[in-house]
């Protein structure tokens, strides 16, 4: 079995990739995918610590995070579809309906 540090390193790399995607990409769908990647990185950390300490709390938190991620994806994709129907684009730089 791999040591805890390997899981944490993979989790940190996934989280950094997700953060970079949210900060530097303009496609709304890709931004949502990057947010999901960040949530999965957190899930990996929780599972790794749960396994390392022999505690089930981390695994329960992962189910909570997965539920929140599913709700976030459903609402987010509905917003993207509504924006695409109105603006014919998913580029967040071109969507300025919330600006004054």
């Amino acid at each position: 079995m791999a040591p805890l540090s390997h899981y944490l390193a993979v989790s940190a790399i996934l989280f950094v990739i997700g953060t970079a995607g949210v900060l530097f990409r303009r496609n709304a769908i890709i931004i949502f995918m990057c947010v999901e990647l960040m949530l999965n990185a957190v899930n990996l950390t929780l599972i790794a610590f749960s396994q390392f300490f022999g505690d089930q709390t981390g695994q329960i938190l992962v189910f909570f995070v997965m539920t929140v991620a599913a709700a976030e994806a459903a609402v987010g994709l509905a917003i993207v579809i509504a924006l695409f129907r109105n603006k014919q684009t998913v580029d967040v730089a071109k969507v300025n309906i919330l600006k004054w």
Side-chain angles (χ1 to χ4, degrees):
M1 183 171 167
L4 178 65
S5 61
H6 291 173
Y7 292 111
L8 295 180
V10 171
S11 176
I13 290 169
L14 290 176
F15 194 84
V16 168
I17 291 171
T19 302
V22 168
L23 293 177
F24 298 121
R25 298 302 298 254
R26 293 185 178 179
N27 188 328
I29 295 173
I30 292 177
I31 291 173
F32 279 116
M33 290 172 58
C34 290
V35 170
E36 294 293 327
L37 185 63
M38 292 166 54
L39 289 172
N40 284 327
V42 171
N43 285 342
L44 180 60
T45 301
L46 289 171
I47 291 294
F49 276 118
S50 175
Q51 178 68 27
F52 182 73
F53 291 116
D55 188 13
Q56 304 298 321
T57 307
Q59 296 175 9
I60 294 169
L61 284 174
V62 167
F63 283 120
F64 179 73
V65 170
M66 289 171 59
T67 305
V68 170
E72 175 262 337
V75 172
L77 288 176
I79 291 171
V80 169
I81 289 171
L83 286 175
F84 184 76
R85 286 182 178 167
N86 288 330
K87 299 289 185 179
Q88 299 299 318
T89 183
V90 291
D91 189 355
V92 293
K94 294 180 181 175
V95 178
N96 58 1
I97 60 174
L98 296 178
K99 293 182 182 175
W100 288 89

Coordinates of all heavy atoms in Angstrom, one line a residue:
M1 N 0.8 -1.2 0.0 CA 0.0 0.0 0.0 C 0.9 1.2 0.0 O 1.9 1.3 0.7 CB -0.9 0.0 1.2 CG -1.8 1.2 1.3 SD -3.0 0.9 2.6 CE -3.7 2.6 2.6
A2 N 0.5 2.2 -0.8 CA 1.2 3.5 -0.9 C 1.1 4.3 0.4 O 0.1 4.3 1.0 CB 0.7 4.3 -2.1
P3 N 2.2 5.0 0.7 CA 2.1 5.8 1.9 C 1.2 7.0 1.8 O 0.8 7.4 0.6 CB 3.5 6.2 2.2 CG 4.2 6.1 0.8 CD 3.5 5.0 0.1
L4 N 0.8 7.6 2.9 CA -0.1 8.7 2.9 C 0.4 9.9 2.0 O -0.4 10.6 1.4 CB -0.4 9.2 4.3 CG -1.3 10.4 4.5 CD1 -2.7 10.1 4.0 CD2 -1.3 10.8 6.0
S5 N 1.7 10.1 2.0 CA 2.3 11.3 1.3 C 2.0 11.2 -0.2 O 1.8 12.2 -0.8 CB 3.7 11.4 1.6 OG 4.4 10.2 1.2
H6 N 2.0 10.0 -0.7 CA 1.7 9.8 -2.2 C 0.3 10.3 -2.5 O 0.0 11.0 -3.5 CB 1.9 8.4 -2.6 CG 3.4 8.0 -2.6 ND1 3.8 6.7 -2.8 CD2 4.5 8.7 -2.4 CE1 5.1 6.7 -2.7 NE2 5.5 7.9 -2.4
Y7 N -0.7 9.9 -1.7 CA -2.1 10.3 -1.9 C -2.2 11.8 -1.7 O -2.9 12.4 -2.5 CB -3.0 9.6 -0.9 CG -3.1 8.1 -1.1 CD1 -2.6 7.2 -0.2 CD2 -3.8 7.6 -2.2 CE1 -2.7 5.8 -0.4 CE2 -3.9 6.2 -2.4 CZ -3.3 5.4 -1.5 OH -3.4 4.0 -1.7
L8 N -1.5 12.4 -0.8 CA -1.6 13.8 -0.6 C -1.0 14.6 -1.7 O -1.5 15.6 -2.1 CB -1.0 14.2 0.8 CG -1.7 13.7 2.0 CD1 -1.0 14.1 3.3 CD2 -3.2 14.1 2.0
A9 N 0.1 14.0 -2.3 CA 0.7 14.7 -3.4 C -0.2 14.6 -4.6 O -0.3 15.7 -5.3 CB 2.1 14.0 -3.7
V10 N -0.8 13.5 -4.9 CA -1.7 13.4 -6.0 C -2.9 14.3 -5.8 O -3.3 15.0 -6.8 CB -2.2 12.0 -6.2 CG1 -3.3 11.9 -7.2 CG2 -1.0 11.1 -6.7
S11 N -3.4 14.4 -4.6 CA -4.5 15.3 -4.3 C -4.1 16.7 -4.5 O -4.9 17.5 -5.1 CB -5.0 15.0 -2.9 OG -6.0 15.9 -2.6
A12 N -2.9 17.1 -4.1 CA -2.5 18.5 -4.2 C -2.3 18.8 -5.7 O -2.7 19.9 -6.2 CB -1.2 18.7 -3.5
I13 N -1.8 17.9 -6.5 CA -1.6 18.2 -7.9 C -3.0 18.3 -8.6 O -3.2 19.3 -9.4 CB -0.8 17.0 -8.6 CG1 0.6 17.1 -8.1 CG2 -0.9 17.1 -10.1 CD1 1.5 15.8 -8.4
L14 N -3.9 17.5 -8.3 CA -5.3 17.6 -8.9 C -5.9 18.9 -8.5 O -6.5 19.6 -9.3 CB -6.1 16.4 -8.4 CG -5.8 15.0 -9.0 CD1 -6.7 14.0 -8.4 CD2 -6.0 15.1 -10.5
F15 N -5.7 19.3 -7.2 CA -6.3 20.6 -6.8 C -5.7 21.8 -7.5 O -6.4 22.7 -7.9 CB -6.2 20.7 -5.2 CG -7.1 21.8 -4.7 CD1 -8.4 21.5 -4.4 CD2 -6.6 23.0 -4.4 CE1 -9.2 22.5 -3.8 CE2 -7.4 24.0 -3.9 CZ -8.7 23.7 -3.6
V16 N -4.4 21.7 -7.7 CA -3.7 22.8 -8.4 C -4.2 22.9 -9.8 O -4.4 24.0 -10.4 CB -2.2 22.7 -8.2 CG1 -1.5 23.6 -9.2 CG2 -1.8 23.0 -6.8
I17 N -4.3 21.7 -10.5 CA -4.8 21.7 -11.9 C -6.2 22.3 -11.9 O -6.5 23.1 -12.8 CB -4.7 20.3 -12.4 CG1 -3.3 19.8 -12.6 CG2 -5.5 20.2 -13.7 CD1 -3.1 18.4 -13.0
G18 N -7.0 21.9 -11.0 CA -8.4 22.4 -11.0 C -8.4 23.9 -10.7 O -9.2 24.7 -11.4
T19 N -7.6 24.4 -9.8 CA -7.6 25.8 -9.5 C -7.1 26.6 -10.8 O -7.6 27.7 -11.1 CB -6.6 26.1 -8.3 OG1 -7.1 25.4 -7.2 CG2 -6.6 27.6 -8.0
A20 N -6.0 26.1 -11.4 CA -5.5 26.7 -12.6 C -6.6 26.8 -13.7 O -6.8 27.8 -14.4 CB -4.3 26.0 -13.1
G21 N -7.4 25.7 -13.8 CA -8.4 25.7 -14.8 C -9.5 26.7 -14.5 O -10.0 27.4 -15.5
V22 N -9.9 26.8 -13.3 CA -10.9 27.8 -12.9 C -10.4 29.3 -13.2 O -11.1 30.1 -13.6 CB -11.3 27.7 -11.4 CG1 -12.2 28.8 -11.0 CG2 -12.1 26.4 -11.3
L23 N -9.1 29.5 -12.9 CA -8.6 30.8 -13.0 C -8.3 31.2 -14.5 O -8.4 32.4 -14.8 CB -7.3 31.0 -12.2 CG -7.5 30.9 -10.7 CD1 -6.2 31.0 -9.9 CD2 -8.4 32.0 -10.2
F24 N -7.9 30.3 -15.3 CA -7.3 30.7 -16.6 C -8.2 30.3 -17.8 O -8.0 30.7 -18.9 CB -6.0 30.1 -16.8 CG -5.0 30.6 -15.8 CD1 -4.3 29.7 -15.0 CD2 -4.7 31.9 -15.7 CE1 -3.4 30.2 -14.0 CE2 -3.8 32.4 -14.7 CZ -3.1 31.5 -13.9
R25 N -9.2 29.5 -17.6 CA -10.1 29.1 -18.7 C -11.3 29.9 -18.7 O -11.7 30.5 -17.7 CB -10.5 27.6 -18.6 CG -9.3 26.6 -18.6 CD -8.5 26.7 -19.9 NE -9.3 26.4 -21.1 CZ -9.2 25.3 -21.8 NH1 -8.3 24.4 -21.4 NH2 -9.9 25.1 -22.8
R26 N -11.9 30.1 -19.9 CA -13.1 30.9 -20.1 C -14.3 30.2 -20.4 O -15.4 30.7 -20.4 CB -12.8 31.9 -21.2 CG -11.7 32.9 -20.9 CD -11.6 33.9 -21.9 NE -10.6 34.9 -21.5 CZ -10.2 35.9 -22.2 NH1 -10.7 36.1 -23.4 NH2 -9.3 36.8 -21.8
N27 N -14.2 28.9 -20.8 CA -15.4 28.1 -21.1 C -16.0 27.7 -19.8 O -15.4 27.1 -18.9 CB -14.9 26.9 -21.9 CG -16.1 26.1 -22.5 OD1 -17.1 26.0 -21.9 ND2 -15.9 25.5 -23.6
A28 N -17.3 28.0 -19.7 CA -18.0 27.7 -18.5 C -18.1 26.2 -18.1 O -18.0 25.8 -17.0 CB -19.4 28.2 -18.5
I29 N -18.2 25.4 -19.1 CA -18.3 23.9 -18.9 C -16.9 23.4 -18.4 O -16.9 22.6 -17.4 CB -18.7 23.2 -20.2 CG1 -20.1 23.6 -20.5 CG2 -18.6 21.7 -20.0 CD1 -20.6 23.1 -21.9
I30 N -15.9 23.9 -18.9 CA -14.5 23.5 -18.5 C -14.3 24.0 -17.0 O -13.7 23.3 -16.2 CB -13.4 24.0 -19.4 CG1 -13.6 23.2 -20.7 CG2 -12.1 23.8 -18.8 CD1 -12.6 23.6 -21.8
I31 N -14.8 25.2 -16.7 CA -14.7 25.7 -15.4 C -15.4 24.8 -14.4 O -14.9 24.5 -13.3 CB -15.2 27.1 -15.3 CG1 -14.2 28.1 -16.1 CG2 -15.4 27.6 -13.8 CD1 -14.7 29.5 -16.2
F32 N -16.6 24.3 -14.8 CA -17.3 23.4 -13.9 C -16.6 22.1 -13.7 O -16.5 21.5 -12.7 CB -18.8 23.1 -14.4 CG -19.7 24.2 -14.1 CD1 -20.3 25.0 -15.0 CD2 -20.0 24.4 -12.8 CE1 -21.2 26.0 -14.7 CE2 -20.9 25.5 -12.4 CZ -21.5 26.2 -13.4
M33 N -16.0 21.6 -14.8 CA -15.2 20.4 -14.7 C -14.0 20.6 -13.8 O -13.6 19.6 -13.0 CB -14.7 19.9 -16.1 CG -15.9 19.4 -17.0 SD -15.4 19.1 -18.7 CE -14.1 17.9 -18.5
C34 N -13.4 21.7 -13.8 CA -12.3 22.0 -12.9 C -12.7 22.1 -11.5 O -12.0 21.7 -10.6 CB -11.6 23.3 -13.4 SG -10.7 23.1 -14.9
V35 N -13.9 22.6 -11.3 CA -14.4 22.7 -9.9 C -14.7 21.2 -9.4 O -14.4 20.9 -8.2 CB -15.7 23.5 -9.8 CG1 -16.4 23.3 -8.5 CG2 -15.4 25.0 -10.1
E36 N -15.2 20.4 -10.3 CA -15.4 19.0 -9.9 C -14.1 18.3 -9.6 O -14.0 17.5 -8.7 CB -16.1 18.2 -11.0 CG -17.5 18.7 -11.2 CD -18.4 18.4 -10.1 OE1 -18.2 17.4 -9.4 OE2 -19.4 19.2 -9.8
L37 N -13.0 18.6 -10.4 CA -11.7 18.1 -10.1 C -11.2 18.5 -8.8 O -10.6 17.7 -8.0 CB -10.7 18.5 -11.2 CG -9.3 17.9 -11.2 CD1 -9.4 16.4 -11.4 CD2 -8.5 18.6 -12.3
M38 N -11.4 19.8 -8.4 CA -11.0 20.2 -7.1 C -11.8 19.5 -6.0 O -11.2 19.1 -5.0 CB -11.2 21.7 -7.0 CG -10.3 22.5 -7.9 SD -10.8 24.3 -8.1 CE -10.9 24.8 -6.4
L39 N -13.0 19.3 -6.2 CA -13.8 18.5 -5.2 C -13.3 17.1 -5.1 O -13.3 16.5 -4.0 CB -15.3 18.6 -5.5 CG -16.0 19.9 -5.3 CD1 -17.4 19.9 -5.9 CD2 -16.0 20.3 -3.9
N40 N -13.0 16.5 -6.2 CA -12.5 15.1 -6.1 C -11.1 15.0 -5.5 O -10.8 14.0 -4.8 CB -12.4 14.5 -7.5 CG -13.8 14.1 -8.0 OD1 -14.6 13.7 -7.2 ND2 -14.0 14.2 -9.3
A41 N -10.3 16.1 -5.6 CA -9.0 16.1 -4.9 C -9.2 16.2 -3.4 O -8.5 15.5 -2.6 CB -8.2 17.4 -5.4
V42 N -10.2 16.9 -3.0 CA -10.6 17.0 -1.6 C -11.1 15.6 -1.1 O -10.7 15.2 0.0 CB -11.6 18.1 -1.3 CG1 -12.1 18.0 0.1 CG2 -11.0 19.5 -1.6
N43 N -11.9 15.0 -1.9 CA -12.4 13.6 -1.6 C -11.2 12.6 -1.4 O -11.2 11.8 -0.5 CB -13.3 13.1 -2.6 CG -14.7 13.8 -2.6 OD1 -15.0 14.4 -1.6 ND2 -15.4 13.7 -3.7
L44 N -10.2 12.7 -2.3 CA -9.1 11.8 -2.2 C -8.3 12.1 -0.9 O -7.9 11.2 -0.2 CB -8.1 12.0 -3.4 CG -6.9 11.2 -3.4 CD1 -7.3 9.7 -3.4 CD2 -6.0 11.5 -4.6
T45 N -8.2 13.4 -0.5 CA -7.5 13.7 0.8 C -8.3 13.1 1.9 O -7.7 12.5 2.9 CB -7.4 15.2 0.9 OG1 -6.6 15.7 -0.2 CG2 -6.7 15.6 2.2
L46 N -9.6 13.3 1.9 CA -10.4 12.8 3.0 C -10.3 11.3 3.1 O -10.2 10.7 4.2 CB -11.9 13.2 2.8 CG -12.2 14.7 3.1 CD1 -13.6 15.0 2.6 CD2 -11.9 15.1 4.5
I47 N -10.4 10.6 2.0 CA -10.3 9.1 2.0 C -8.9 8.7 2.5 O -8.8 7.7 3.3 CB -10.6 8.5 0.6 CG1 -12.1 8.7 0.3 CG2 -10.2 7.1 0.5 CD1 -13.0 7.9 1.2
A48 N -7.9 9.4 2.1 CA -6.5 9.0 2.5 C -6.3 9.2 4.0 O -5.8 8.3 4.6 CB -5.5 9.9 1.7
F49 N -6.8 10.3 4.5 CA -6.7 10.5 6.0 C -7.6 9.5 6.7 O -7.2 9.0 7.8 CB -7.0 11.9 6.4 CG -5.9 12.9 6.2 CD1 -6.0 13.9 5.3 CD2 -4.7 12.7 7.0 CE1 -4.9 14.8 5.2 CE2 -3.7 13.6 6.8 CZ -3.7 14.6 6.0
S50 N -8.7 9.2 6.2 CA -9.6 8.3 6.8 C -9.0 6.9 6.9 O -9.0 6.2 7.9 CB -10.9 8.2 6.0 OG -11.8 7.2 6.6
Q51 N -8.3 6.5 5.8 CA -7.6 5.2 5.8 C -6.4 5.2 6.7 O -6.2 4.2 7.4 CB -7.2 4.8 4.3 CG -6.5 3.6 4.2 CD -7.3 2.4 4.5 OE1 -8.6 2.4 4.3 NE2 -6.8 1.3 5.0
F52 N -5.7 6.3 6.7 CA -4.5 6.4 7.5 C -4.8 6.3 9.0 O -4.1 5.6 9.8 CB -3.7 7.7 7.2 CG -2.4 7.8 7.9 CD1 -1.3 7.1 7.6 CD2 -2.3 8.8 9.0 CE1 -0.1 7.2 8.3 CE2 -1.1 8.9 9.6 CZ 0.0 8.1 9.3
F53 N -5.8 7.1 9.4 CA -6.2 7.1 10.8 C -7.1 6.0 11.3 O -7.4 5.8 12.4 CB -6.7 8.5 11.2 CG -5.7 9.6 11.2 CD1 -5.8 10.6 10.3 CD2 -4.6 9.5 12.0 CE1 -4.9 11.6 10.2 CE2 -3.7 10.5 12.0 CZ -3.8 11.6 11.1
G54 N -7.7 5.3 10.3 CA -8.6 4.2 10.6 C -10.0 4.7 11.1 O -10.6 4.0 11.9
D55 N -10.3 5.9 10.7 CA -11.6 6.5 11.1 C -12.6 6.6 10.0 O -12.2 6.8 8.8 CB -11.3 7.9 11.7 CG -12.5 8.6 12.3 OD1 -13.5 7.8 12.6 OD2 -12.4 9.8 12.6
Q56 N -13.8 6.4 10.2 CA -14.8 6.4 9.2 C -15.4 7.8 8.9 O -16.2 7.9 7.9 CB -16.0 5.5 9.5 CG -15.5 4.0 9.8 CD -14.9 3.4 8.7 OE1 -15.4 3.5 7.5 NE2 -13.8 2.6 8.9
T57 N -15.0 8.8 9.6 CA -15.6 10.1 9.5 C -15.2 10.7 8.1 O -16.1 11.3 7.4 CB -15.1 11.0 10.6 OG1 -15.3 10.4 11.8 CG2 -15.7 12.4 10.5
G58 N -14.0 10.5 7.6 CA -13.6 11.0 6.3 C -14.5 10.4 5.2 O -14.8 11.1 4.2
Q59 N -14.8 9.1 5.3 CA -15.6 8.5 4.2 C -17.0 9.1 4.3 O -17.7 9.2 3.2 CB -15.6 7.0 4.4 CG -14.2 6.4 4.3 CD -14.2 4.9 4.6 OE1 -15.2 4.3 4.8 NE2 -13.0 4.4 4.6
I60 N -17.6 9.4 5.4 CA -18.9 10.0 5.5 C -18.9 11.4 4.9 O -19.8 11.8 4.2 CB -19.4 10.0 7.0 CG1 -19.5 8.6 7.5 CG2 -20.6 10.8 7.1 CD1 -19.8 8.4 9.0
L61 N -17.8 12.1 5.2 CA -17.7 13.5 4.6 C -17.6 13.4 3.1 O -18.1 14.3 2.4 CB -16.5 14.2 5.2 CG -16.6 14.7 6.6 CD1 -15.3 15.3 7.1 CD2 -17.7 15.8 6.6
V62 N -17.0 12.4 2.5 CA -16.9 12.2 1.1 C -18.3 12.0 0.5 O -18.6 12.6 -0.6 CB -16.0 11.0 0.7 CG1 -16.1 10.6 -0.7 CG2 -14.5 11.4 1.0
F63 N -19.2 11.3 1.1 CA -20.5 11.2 0.6 C -21.2 12.5 0.6 O -22.0 12.9 -0.3 CB -21.3 10.2 1.5 CG -21.0 8.7 1.1 CD1 -20.5 7.9 2.1 CD2 -21.2 8.2 -0.2 CE1 -20.2 6.6 1.8 CE2 -20.9 6.9 -0.5 CZ -20.4 6.1 0.5
F64 N -21.0 13.3 1.7 CA -21.6 14.7 1.7 C -21.0 15.5 0.6 O -21.8 16.2 -0.1 CB -21.3 15.3 3.1 CG -21.8 16.7 3.2 CD1 -23.2 16.9 3.4 CD2 -21.0 17.8 3.2 CE1 -23.7 18.2 3.5 CE2 -21.5 19.1 3.3 CZ -22.8 19.3 3.5
V65 N -19.7 15.5 0.4 CA -19.1 16.3 -0.7 C -19.6 15.8 -2.1 O -19.9 16.6 -3.0 CB -17.6 16.2 -0.7 CG1 -16.9 16.8 -1.9 CG2 -17.1 16.9 0.6
M66 N -19.8 14.5 -2.3 CA -20.3 14.0 -3.5 C -21.8 14.5 -3.8 O -22.1 14.8 -4.9 CB -20.3 12.5 -3.5 CG -18.9 11.9 -3.7 SD -18.8 10.1 -3.4 CE -19.8 9.5 -4.7
T67 N -22.6 14.6 -2.7 CA -23.9 15.1 -2.8 C -23.9 16.5 -3.2 O -24.7 16.9 -4.1 CB -24.7 14.8 -1.5 OG1 -24.6 13.5 -1.1 CG2 -26.1 15.3 -1.6
V68 N -23.1 17.3 -2.6 CA -23.0 18.7 -2.9 C -22.5 18.9 -4.3 O -23.0 19.8 -5.1 CB -22.1 19.5 -1.9 CG1 -21.8 20.9 -2.3 CG2 -22.7 19.4 -0.5
A69 N -21.5 18.1 -4.7 CA -21.0 18.2 -6.1 C -22.1 17.9 -7.1 O -22.1 18.5 -8.2 CB -19.8 17.3 -6.2
A70 N -22.9 16.9 -6.8 CA -24.0 16.5 -7.8 C -25.0 17.7 -7.9 O -25.4 18.0 -9.0 CB -24.6 15.2 -7.3
A71 N -25.3 18.3 -6.8 CA -26.3 19.4 -6.8 C -25.6 20.6 -7.5 O -26.3 21.3 -8.3 CB -26.7 19.8 -5.4
E72 N -24.3 20.8 -7.3 CA -23.6 21.9 -7.9 C -23.6 21.7 -9.4 O -23.8 22.6 -10.2 CB -22.2 22.1 -7.3 CG -21.4 23.1 -8.0 CD -20.4 22.5 -9.0 OE1 -20.1 21.3 -8.9 OE2 -20.0 23.2 -9.9
A73 N -23.3 20.5 -9.9 CA -23.3 20.2 -11.3 C -24.6 20.4 -11.9 O -24.7 21.0 -13.0 CB -22.7 18.8 -11.5
A74 N -25.7 20.0 -11.3 CA -27.0 20.1 -11.9 C -27.4 21.6 -12.0 O -27.9 22.0 -13.1 CB -28.0 19.3 -11.0
V75 N -27.2 22.3 -11.0 CA -27.5 23.8 -11.0 C -26.6 24.5 -12.0 O -27.1 25.3 -12.8 CB -27.5 24.4 -9.6 CG1 -27.6 25.9 -9.7 CG2 -28.5 23.8 -8.7
G76 N -25.3 24.2 -12.0 CA -24.4 24.8 -12.8 C -24.7 24.6 -14.3 O -24.6 25.5 -15.1
L77 N -24.9 23.3 -14.7 CA -25.2 23.0 -16.0 C -26.5 23.6 -16.5 O -26.6 24.0 -17.7 CB -25.2 21.5 -16.2 CG -23.9 20.8 -16.2 CD1 -24.0 19.3 -16.3 CD2 -22.9 21.4 -17.3
A78 N -27.5 23.7 -15.6 CA -28.7 24.4 -16.0 C -28.5 25.9 -16.2 O -29.0 26.5 -17.2 CB -29.7 24.3 -14.8
I79 N -27.6 26.5 -15.5 CA -27.2 27.9 -15.7 C -26.5 28.1 -17.0 O -26.8 29.0 -17.8 CB -26.4 28.5 -14.5 CG1 -27.3 28.6 -13.3 CG2 -25.8 29.8 -14.9 CD1 -26.5 28.9 -12.0
V80 N -25.6 27.1 -17.3 CA -24.9 27.2 -18.6 C -25.8 27.0 -19.8 O -25.7 27.7 -20.8 CB -23.8 26.1 -18.6 CG1 -23.2 25.9 -20.0 CG2 -22.7 26.4 -17.6
I81 N -26.8 26.1 -19.7 CA -27.7 25.9 -20.7 C -28.6 27.2 -20.9 O -28.8 27.6 -22.1 CB -28.6 24.7 -20.5 CG1 -27.8 23.4 -20.6 CG2 -29.8 24.7 -21.4 CD1 -28.5 22.2 -20.2
A82 N -29.0 27.8 -19.8 CA -29.8 29.1 -19.9 C -28.9 30.2 -20.6 O -29.4 30.9 -21.4 CB -30.3 29.5 -18.6
L83 N -27.7 30.3 -20.2 CA -26.8 31.3 -20.8 C -26.6 31.0 -22.3 O -26.6 32.0 -23.1 CB -25.5 31.3 -20.1 CG -25.5 32.0 -18.7 CD1 -24.1 31.8 -18.0 CD2 -25.9 33.4 -18.8
F84 N -26.4 29.8 -22.6 CA -26.2 29.4 -24.0 C -27.4 29.7 -24.9 O -27.3 30.2 -26.0 CB -25.8 28.0 -24.2 CG -25.5 27.6 -25.6 CD1 -24.2 28.0 -26.2 CD2 -26.4 26.9 -26.4 CE1 -23.9 27.6 -27.5 CE2 -26.1 26.6 -27.7 CZ -24.9 26.9 -28.2
R85 N -28.6 29.5 -24.3 CA -29.8 29.8 -25.1 C -30.0 31.3 -25.3 O -30.5 31.8 -26.3 CB -31.0 29.3 -24.3 CG -31.1 27.8 -24.4 CD -32.3 27.3 -23.8 NE -32.4 25.8 -23.9 CZ -33.3 25.0 -23.3 NH1 -34.1 25.6 -22.4 NH2 -33.3 23.7 -23.5
N86 N -29.5 32.1 -24.3 CA -29.6 33.6 -24.4 C -28.5 34.2 -25.2 O -28.7 35.2 -26.0 CB -29.8 34.2 -23.1 CG -31.1 33.9 -22.4 OD1 -32.1 33.7 -23.1 ND2 -31.1 33.8 -21.1
K87 N -27.3 33.8 -25.0 CA -26.1 34.5 -25.6 C -25.5 33.7 -26.7 O -24.6 34.2 -27.4 CB -25.1 34.7 -24.5 CG -25.5 35.6 -23.4 CD -25.6 37.0 -23.9 CE -26.0 38.0 -22.7 NZ -26.1 39.3 -23.2
Q88 N -25.8 32.4 -26.9 CA -25.2 31.5 -27.9 C -23.7 31.3 -27.7 O -23.0 31.1 -28.7 CB -25.5 32.1 -29.4 CG -26.9 32.2 -29.7 CD -27.7 30.9 -29.7 OE1 -27.1 29.9 -30.2 NE2 -28.8 30.8 -29.1
T89 N -23.3 31.4 -26.5 CA -21.9 31.2 -26.2 C -21.8 30.7 -24.7 O -22.7 31.0 -23.9 CB -21.0 32.4 -26.4 OG1 -19.7 32.1 -26.1 CG2 -21.4 33.5 -25.5
V90 N -20.7 30.0 -24.4 CA -20.4 29.6 -23.0 C -19.1 30.2 -22.5 O -18.6 29.9 -21.5 CB -20.3 28.0 -22.9 CG1 -21.7 27.4 -23.1 CG2 -19.3 27.5 -23.8
D91 N -18.7 31.2 -23.3 CA -17.5 32.0 -22.9 C -17.8 32.9 -21.8 O -18.7 33.8 -22.0 CB -16.9 32.7 -24.1 CG -15.6 33.3 -23.8 OD1 -15.1 33.3 -22.6 OD2 -15.0 33.9 -24.7
V92 N -17.3 32.8 -20.6 CA -17.7 33.6 -19.5 C -17.2 35.0 -19.6 O -17.7 35.9 -19.0 CB -17.1 33.0 -18.1 CG1 -17.8 31.7 -17.8 CG2 -15.6 32.9 -18.2
A93 N -16.2 35.3 -20.5 CA -15.8 36.7 -20.7 C -16.8 37.5 -21.6 O -16.9 38.7 -21.4 CB -14.5 36.7 -21.5
K94 N -17.6 36.7 -22.4 CA -18.6 37.4 -23.2 C -20.0 37.5 -22.5 O -20.9 38.2 -23.0 CB -18.8 36.7 -24.5 CG -17.5 36.7 -25.4 CD -17.7 36.0 -26.6 CE -16.4 36.1 -27.5 NZ -16.5 35.2 -28.7
V95 N -20.1 36.8 -21.4 CA -21.4 36.9 -20.7 C -21.3 38.0 -19.6 O -20.6 37.8 -18.6 CB -21.7 35.5 -20.0 CG1 -23.0 35.6 -19.2 CG2 -21.8 34.4 -21.1
N96 N -22.0 39.1 -19.8 CA -21.9 40.2 -18.9 C -23.2 40.6 -18.4 O -23.4 41.8 -18.1 CB -21.1 41.4 -19.6 CG -21.8 41.8 -20.8 OD1 -22.9 41.2 -21.2 ND2 -21.3 42.8 -21.5
I97 N -24.2 39.7 -18.3 CA -25.5 40.1 -17.9 C -25.6 40.5 -16.4 O -26.6 41.1 -16.0 CB -26.5 39.0 -18.2 CG1 -26.2 37.7 -17.5 CG2 -26.6 38.8 -19.7 CD1 -27.2 36.6 -17.7
L98 N -24.6 40.1 -15.6 CA -24.7 40.5 -14.2 C -23.9 41.8 -13.9 O -23.8 42.2 -12.8 CB -24.1 39.3 -13.4 CG -24.9 38.0 -13.4 CD1 -24.2 37.0 -12.6 CD2 -26.3 38.2 -12.9
K99 N -23.3 42.3 -14.9 CA -22.5 43.6 -14.7 C -23.4 44.8 -14.9 O -24.4 44.7 -15.6 CB -21.4 43.7 -15.7 CG -20.3 42.6 -15.5 CD -19.2 42.8 -16.5 CE -18.1 41.7 -16.3 NZ -17.1 41.8 -17.4
W100 N -23.1 45.9 -14.3 CA -23.8 47.1 -14.4 C -23.5 47.8 -15.7 O -22.5 47.8 -16.3 CB -23.5 48.1 -13.3 CG -24.1 47.5 -12.0 CD1 -23.6 46.7 -11.1 CD2 -25.4 47.8 -11.5 NE1 -24.4 46.5 -10.1 CE2 -25.6 47.1 -10.3 CE3 -26.5 48.6 -11.9 CZ2 -26.7 47.2 -9.5 CZ3 -27.6 48.7 -11.1 CH2 -27.7 48.0 -9.9

